[in-house]
Amino acid sequence: MTSPRTVVIAGAGIGGLTAAVALAQRGFLVSVIEQAEQLEAIGAGVQLSPNASRLLIALGLGERLAPYVVAPQALNVMNARSGRVLARASLADAAQRYGAPFWVIHRGDLHTVLHEEMAATGRVTLQLGTRVEDVAVHGNGVTVAGWRNMEAVDAQGCAVIGADGLWSVLRSRLTHAEEPRFARHTAWRTLVPAEVVSPALRAPTVNLWLGRHAHLVHYPVRGGRLVNVVAIVRDDWREAGWSAAGDRTEIAERFSAGRWHAAPRALIGAATQWQKWALYDCAPLKHWGQGPVTLLGDAAHPMLPYLAQGAAMAIEDAAVLATCLAQAPADAPAALRSYEAKRLKRTARTQIAARRNGTVYHMGGALRTLAISAMGGTRLLRRYDWLYGWQPD
Ligand SMILES: Cc1cc2nc3c(=O)[nH]c(=O)nc-3n(C[C@H](O)[C@H](O)[C@H](O)COP(=O)(O)OP(=O)(O)OC[C@H]3O[C@@H](n4cnc5c(N)ncnc54)[C@H](O)[C@@H]3O)c2cc1C
């Protein structure tokens, strides 16, 4: 017989781990089931805007994150060919404006801190190497069924949270959602040691270079010792998965001297290893769950990375979910519907805004320059007051 206060989470990404911490801190027992054999963060850097950093601080993780994060002072948007600054926004002012810092961090560091806190609560069990396949609701709660080493396993709880990412199995069980839509772009990611690049390229800023059918983002992570580089290019390569190796000659050719300024090319040239993945998103879903089962993070609202909000939305989901379940622990279905009602509109707006940013980033030069220069730095940020200024109820 399972404790009525056990919540099962499928997936130990940023969303699943944050939900586990938030629920455990509210007194729930949590069982996290992860298909990977080891907990490892895929990808390199992640931007944590104030709407996300505020919640991590509220979970008591601020001090533990401090040695790892960089608080960038500005967001710079540049023309890829000329290097001309199209817009510059002060992120230090933004931190004051939104009451919480902008941070950038290595995903591995964020995972480590969340995992440590999860263990410290003493209320979370983590089963690795176990793939969730199905979920069944019954009189006593809900059972998740899966496989580990070719053996059937199950876990029971009063609620099940599908935090199983873009290709969520639970999304396909719970909704009639279509498969994720291929965005015909690929993200190439690498980390470059800060000491091998010029001081300007390792400065504490977030930098966005906009080129034709491609853009490049870079910022320092790991306390400034590494520079995280993400290059997004138009591509029909659409393999699902997160860690295909990228050929450095191919990416260097895509960022050729005629079209790209020397600074972003220096970063591309300094990188020795690349990982790439095809980008997908979904149209906003109308509902996420049924009975004592719901979705969270990319499983609920996969979005393109052009607003740097996928992880931030997963962190917000986790905080709201924990509050709703804590308010009605004896009625998980009602708690989960209340969570969904609080999250659906905001995450849909973010998904759409991310798609729209992609259109602006990749539109023709003159039009785009006009659109971005016209906004200027301050207006650029103010447009996102709804996003960064968000606070849980
Ligand atoms: C290039 C790029 C840059 C980005 N930059 C940012 C950024 O700066 N800021 C930001 O906020 N967001 C960013 N994002 C988005 C962010 O990475 C994702 O939105 C976020 O990681 C989603 O977290 P998640 O926990 O929902 O899903 P995931 O991280 O995908 O985790 C899902 C977990 O579930 C596991 N799993 C899957 N299926 C099963 C199963 N059947 N059974 C058990 N386990 C399962 C997986 O192994 C995985 O560990 C970026 C994304 C990309 C592609």
Side-chain angles (χ1 to χ4, degrees):
M1 182 72 187
T2 321
S3 148
R5 299 259 285 170
T6 298
V7 177
V8 181
I9 299 177
I14 292 171
L17 291 181
T18 310
V21 167
L23 286 163
Q25 288 185 356
R26 301 273 190 157
F28 288 90
L29 297 175
V30 185
S31 167
V32 181
I33 303 178
E34 166 58 47
Q35 66 181 3
E37 292 292 340
Q38 305 182 28
L39 263 199
E40 52 187 0
I42 299 164
V46 63
Q47 299 178 47
L48 294 171
S49 47
N51 48 315
S53 69
R54 174 186 350 272
L55 299 175
L56 295 171
I57 292 167
L59 287 174
L61 304 179
E63 269 182 35
R64 249 190 265 167
L65 287 167
Y68 301 117
V69 299
V70 172
Q73 297 302 296
L75 164 69
N76 301 318
V77 186
M78 271 81 57
N79 176 292
R81 194 193 295 252
S82 65
R84 184 161 80 87
V85 177
L86 304 177
R88 185 170 200 280
S90 162
L91 295 183
D93 293 353
Q96 277 211 320
R97 181 179 180 84
Y98 302 119
F102 261 92
W103 281 338
V104 286
I105 188 167
H106 190 292
R107 277 163 193 265
D109 297 335
L110 178 55
H111 264 229
T112 302
V113 169
L114 287 169
H115 189 216
E116 280 170 7
E117 175 61 19
M118 205 170 86
T121 64
R123 295 177 165 273
V124 184
T125 55
L126 173 63
Q127 287 184 59
L128 294 170
T130 307
R131 183 170 166 79
V132 168
E133 292 288 355
D134 213 343
V135 66
V137 179
H138 44 77
N140 291 336
V142 53
T143 300
V144 163
W147 292 94
R148 177 181 170 76
N149 292 335
M150 319 253 277
E151 266 183 35
V153 290
D154 60 35
Q156 290 183 23
C158 65
V160 169
I161 315 302
D164 50 343
L166 172 66
W167 300 103
S168 170
V169 171
L170 291 184
R171 179 173 64 237
S172 57
R173 296 279 183 280
L174 292 167
T175 69
H176 298 293
E178 288 172 10
E179 283 285 283
R181 183 199 68 132
F182 176 47
R184 301 192 69 197
H185 281 82
T186 306
W188 291 61
R189 310 187 77 177
T190 191
L191 290 165
V192 176
E195 72 267 13
V196 307
V197 301
S198 68
L201 291 176
R202 55 174 191 256
T205 52
V206 175
N207 305 282
L208 167 63
W209 297 81
L210 296 176
R212 193 165 175 72
H213 300 313
H215 72 269
L216 185 136
V217 178
H218 63 93
Y219 49 81
V221 291
R222 200 147 270 174
R225 295 192 297 284
L226 295 169
V227 180
N228 176 61
V229 184
V230 184
I232 308 251
V233 294
R234 178 85 187 264
D235 207 333
D236 284 329
W237 177 82
R238 57 189 300 167
E239 227 170 77
W242 289 82
S243 44
D247 173 357
R248 60 186 297 226
T249 328
E250 185 189 334
I251 192 72
E253 278 167 10
R254 302 291 290 262
F255 287 77
S256 63
R259 295 189 164 190
W260 283 81
H261 189 266
R265 294 188 71 246
L267 281 172
I268 301 253
T272 52
Q273 282 190 328
W274 290 90
Q275 287 187 319
K276 62 173 186 173
W277 52 90
L279 298 180
Y280 288 81
D281 75 349
C282 282
L285 297 178
K286 291 203 169 57
H287 67 97
W288 294 349
Q290 289 171 27
V293 191
T294 195
L295 302 173
L296 178 151
D298 275 8
H301 41 69
M303 61 185 70
L304 295 171
Y306 307 139
L307 202 54
Q309 282 295 315
M313 287 298 129
I315 291 167
E316 287 187 9
D317 288 348
V320 174
L321 175 86
T323 304
C324 290
L325 270 170
Q327 280 165 355
D331 189 353
L336 300 188
R337 295 303 83 74
S338 159
Y339 150 74
E340 290 160 9
K342 289 178 199 291
R343 298 301 298 155
L344 273 159
K345 210 164 141 201
R346 175 166 171 83
T347 53
R349 186 176 180 188
T350 312
Q351 282 173 291
I352 291 164
R355 265 193 195 179
R356 201 174 298 134
N357 261 13
T359 310
V360 174
Y361 286 3
H362 300 140
M363 82 182 22
L367 256 178
R368 184 190 52 208
T369 303
L370 209 67
I372 291 181
S373 316
M375 271 181 239
T378 315
R379 276 184 61 200
L380 193 72
L381 272 185
R382 278 198 193 142
R383 286 179 70 214
Y384 295 122
D385 280 356
W386 64 273
L387 196 54
Y388 303 146
W390 179 88
Q391 311 242 10
D393 290 347

